[in-house]
Amino acid sequence: MKTNRIMDEIRGSISPEMKLQMEMSVAIANRIYEILEAKGMTQKDLAKRLGKTETEVSRWLSGTHNLTLSTICKISAALEEELVTVPHQR
């Protein structure tokens, strides 16, 4: 696979915490896309359920936006699906 030297350098300079945040943000965005597709919904439909603009939802789904826990919960409730699963303590 061909790689971009500049992007490789940037990736190499990112802290482990930032890398994990980026990976989780993209994973959450991908999960939202999966749910939307399964439910036959669009970003516009989700925006309407949340009382947000389609532009704002699009920004969230870019995978680069730092979603708050509150926003994740609102999206989860609007879609009636879990976005993030946290193991329960026994």
Side-chain angles (χ1 to χ4, degrees), residues 6-34:
I6 295 171
M7 289 305 293
D8 288 343
E9 288 175 14
I10 291 170
R11 278 194 279 287
S13 68
I14 295 174
S15 70
E17 294 85 8
M18 182 58 82
K19 184 177 179 184
L20 183 58
Q21 180 181 335
M22 289 171 32
E23 289 171 357
M24 290 180 84
S25 293
V26 170
I28 291 169
N30 287 341
R31 175 74 177 130
I32 294 168
Y33 275 119
E34 289 172 2

Side-chain angles (χ1 to χ4, degrees), residues 39-69:
K39 292 182 177 271
M41 292 176 63
T42 65
Q43 289 181 34
K44 187 174 185 176
D45 297 327
L46 178 57
K48 188 173 181 178
R49 284 190 181 189
L50 294 167
K52 302 291 183 181
T53 66
E54 190 175 352
T55 301
E56 187 169 10
V57 170
S58 178
R59 200 168 44 244
W60 293 346
L61 298 181
S62 71
T64 59
H65 186 79
N66 187 13
L67 294 170
T68 65
L69 183 56

